Amino acid sequence: MYRSFFLIPSVLCMLVACKSSDAGTEEYIRKDFAFASVQLKVAMEETERAIANESSESVANRQRRGHGPLVSPRSVEEDGSLIVVPSRDWTSGFFPGELWYMYEYTGDPAWEEAARTYTARIEPEKSNGTTHDMGFKVYCSFGNGYRLTQDPAYRDVLLESAYTLTTRYKPTAGIIRSWDHSTSKWDCPVIIDNMMNLELLFWAFRESGDSLFYEVAVNHAETTLKNHFREDHSSYHVIDYDTITGAVTKKHTHQGYAHESAWSRGQAWALYGYTMCYRETGKASFLEQARQVANYIFTHPHLPADLIPYWDYDAPNIPDEPRDVSAATVTASGLYELSLYDAEQAELHKKHADTILKNLSDHYLAQEGGDHGFLLLHSTGSVPGEFEVDKPLSYADYYFLEALLRKQKLESTGKLF
Ligand code: GLY
């Protein structure tokens, strides 16, 4: 199905990696990409096999719910089988994004071909206005593809996706609605994760000049800044809004331990999201929020010495609680960018990110050639939801590769963009 991945051998990877200044770093980035090269080929084989062998019962269930075909790997079931999801799943864009990162690192056209194949499968999402996850799905896949290829067809998909996302904007409250489910609990829920989807809107503003995208993104970030954070700068997970008055009606969690606890991945989304919003707007309050979240995370007494957090900073049985490697990879990638803007603490942010990557590379990698081709073990999807606890997750892997690339770019050029 795909071209040989060995046309451009590891020599090229070494040349690319050799630009970085520190020999130890250079070595683990090279090794991690060599490992990812093996794993992602396994992942593609296993994904295609799972798609081909989907049971007739599963096909019927999926079709009854109006869900399209399976497209991307997400995680591992309790019985050990691979979870492959349709494009409407919030995680569908991460695997194509990983393939684009492989292409970016290696320059091997076989990775581009693979990335294009998996990216094309996400296109139906461009008109799906039933969820806020557009950035996760479309920016990680088509967004990286456009950045690396300038393919005009990708630009069209991205702009249509951005328009679709703006249809979820509630002007009185000044936010983009996150979920349509759980209507008996919430009227208009907004989750901290939604900060990540704003990157697509900022891109669309730059690309089209249409200020609608910018206004929606900035308003959402400002409203979230006002309502999502506690005095200690940790983030709530879910804020519910009255869309008639714009008032906050509930401060809840969905995937954290308790309404007043600090769900680890939520803190990571906040750090990354406000850093990105500072890049796009230059607003000092966004940078300050990112700095404060970083400070919250790295001074927390429950953060383990290896800097890979438990799934919630307030989980009741620490240290006997699952870790969440995905929170660590999102944080590491966000910290490299934050180090560009926060001169005072730049070295500290880089040191924390380096420590995370080194520890992941040394202690959290999947088995080479196994684990369905995932890169990292020990992530946590949802403890309250009782799914994907202490499992590999595609988004942990996506932000791992992104952080490695960011590390390499910072070391070789001092820039990320
Ligand atoms: N955005 C969903 C999650 O972080 O689990």
Side-chain angles (χ1 to χ4, degrees):
M1 176 172 186
Y2 303 103
R3 275 191 239 172
S4 164
F5 283 91
F6 302 101
L7 293 175
I8 298 181
S10 55
V11 171
L12 177 62
C13 307
M14 286 163 70
L15 285 176
V16 177
C18 275
K19 286 191 217 145
S20 68
S21 59
D22 175 86
T25 305
E26 177 191 304
E27 179 58 13
Y28 80 70
I29 293 174
R30 189 195 62 75
K31 270 170 116 173
D32 286 345
F33 271 96
F35 171 71
S37 166
V38 173
Q39 293 304 95
L40 294 182
K41 285 173 220 160
V42 171
M44 286 191 282
E45 281 165 22
E46 294 216 13
T47 299
E48 296 318 305
R49 198 176 310 130
I51 290 171
N53 295 337
E54 187 183 9
S55 70
S56 47
E57 192 190 342
S58 167
V59 173
N61 269 336
R62 198 163 42 67
Q63 288 173 343
R64 196 168 338 106
R65 285 182 286 158
H67 297 183
L70 302 181
V71 300
S72 303
R74 166 173 167 148
S75 186
V76 178
E77 293 281 12
E78 280 308 310
D79 67 7
S81 59
L82 180 65
I83 300 174
V84 182
V85 292
S87 67
R88 71 191 304 285
D89 188 279
W90 80 274
T91 65
S92 64
F94 293 115
F95 187 70
E98 288 179 66
L99 300 173
W100 284 118
Y101 285 148
M102 289 305 299
Y103 174 55
E104 184 170 7
Y105 184 78
T106 62
D108 185 337
W111 287 115
E112 179 188 357
E113 189 178 324
R116 282 185 177 278
T117 299
Y118 281 85
T119 293
R121 299 174 179 185
I122 314 299
E123 184 166 348
E125 294 312 299
K126 68 185 179 187
S127 56
N128 177 3
T130 66
T131 157
H132 70 136
D133 288 317
M134 195 65 94
F136 285 126
K137 291 186 280 190
V138 175
Y139 200 65
C140 297
S141 53
F142 283 92
N144 277 309
Y146 185 64
R147 182 175 61 82
L148 295 170
T149 67
Q150 298 292 297
D151 183 334
Y154 286 4
R155 181 180 183 273
D156 292 346
V157 171
L158 286 158
L159 284 175
E160 184 173 345
S161 302
Y163 273 115
T164 302
L165 180 56
T166 63
T167 63
R168 298 186 65 77
Y169 182 63
K170 307 293 171 198
T172 308
I175 47 81
I176 299 165
R177 180 184 182 131
S178 290
W179 293 328
D180 291 352
H181 64 72
S182 308
T183 48
S184 59
K185 233 190 298 186
W186 303 306
D187 290 326
C188 182
V190 176
I191 61 173
I192 189 64
D193 324 27
N194 203 345
M195 290 298 301
M196 303 295 283
N197 295 306
L198 305 184
E199 194 166 10
L200 171 65
L201 298 182
F202 285 120
W203 173 88
F205 166 62
R206 275 189 279 107
E207 199 66 28
S208 69
D210 186 340
S211 59
L212 168 76
F213 296 122
Y214 188 84
E215 280 161 28
V216 167
V218 170
N219 289 352
H220 182 95
E222 300 272 24
T223 309
T224 299
L225 186 62
K226 197 162 62 178
N227 297 326
H228 247 90
F229 292 93
R230 306 184 181 94
E231 279 194 8
D232 65 3
H233 307 289
S234 66
S235 175
Y236 286 96
H237 185 197
V238 187
I239 299 293
D240 194 22
Y241 288 89
D242 178 331
T243 52
I244 310 290
T245 65
V248 170
T249 54
K250 287 175 191 140
K251 297 189 170 199
H252 275 183
T253 198
H254 184 59
Q255 281 154 272
Y257 167 61
H259 292 329
E260 289 301 328
S261 75
W263 174 52
S264 300
R265 195 160 55 255
Q267 311 317 303
W269 294 140
L271 187 157
Y272 189 120
Y274 277 99
T275 304
M276 175 273 295
C277 284
Y278 176 70
R279 177 215 311 156
E280 298 290 349
T281 65
K283 282 180 180 280
S285 57
F286 294 167
L287 176 59
E288 183 55 19
Q289 189 59 44
R291 284 164 48 102
Q292 295 288 5
V293 177
N295 187 51
Y296 175 85
I297 291 172
F298 291 100
T299 59
H300 202 290
H302 290 164
L303 182 68
D306 68 0
L307 308 187
I308 314 301
Y310 299 101
W311 66 280
D312 189 306
Y313 289 95
D314 303 298
N317 301 310
I318 288 171
D320 298 321
E321 293 281 0
R323 303 291 186 99
D324 182 13
V325 158
S326 75
T329 60
V330 173
T331 299
S333 187
L335 284 172
Y336 284 127
E337 181 169 10
L338 183 57
S339 77
L340 290 177
Y341 314 136
D342 182 11
E344 212 177 289
Q345 298 186 90
E347 290 313 310
L348 185 66
H349 298 319
K350 277 192 275 188
K351 194 177 110 198
H352 287 150
D354 289 351
T355 305
I356 289 171
L357 291 190
K358 183 75 171 67
N359 285 327
L360 292 176
S361 304
D362 287 350
H363 304 296
Y364 289 81
L365 293 185
Q367 190 200 338
E368 185 158 330
D371 288 313
H372 300 289
F374 286 100
L375 308 183
L376 295 165
L377 305 176
H378 307 307
S379 284
T380 294
S382 176
V383 171
E386 297 180 8
F387 61 83
E388 296 163 356
V389 175
D390 196 17
K391 292 283 187 289
L393 289 170
S394 58
Y395 43 101
D397 294 354
Y398 172 88
Y399 288 103
F400 181 53
L401 293 184
E402 183 181 270
L404 289 166
L405 277 171
R406 284 182 167 194
K407 169 76 180 155
Q408 186 202 49
K409 286 179 196 169
L410 267 187
E411 296 235 340
S412 57
T413 66
K415 293 193 213 148
L416 290 182
F417 305 101

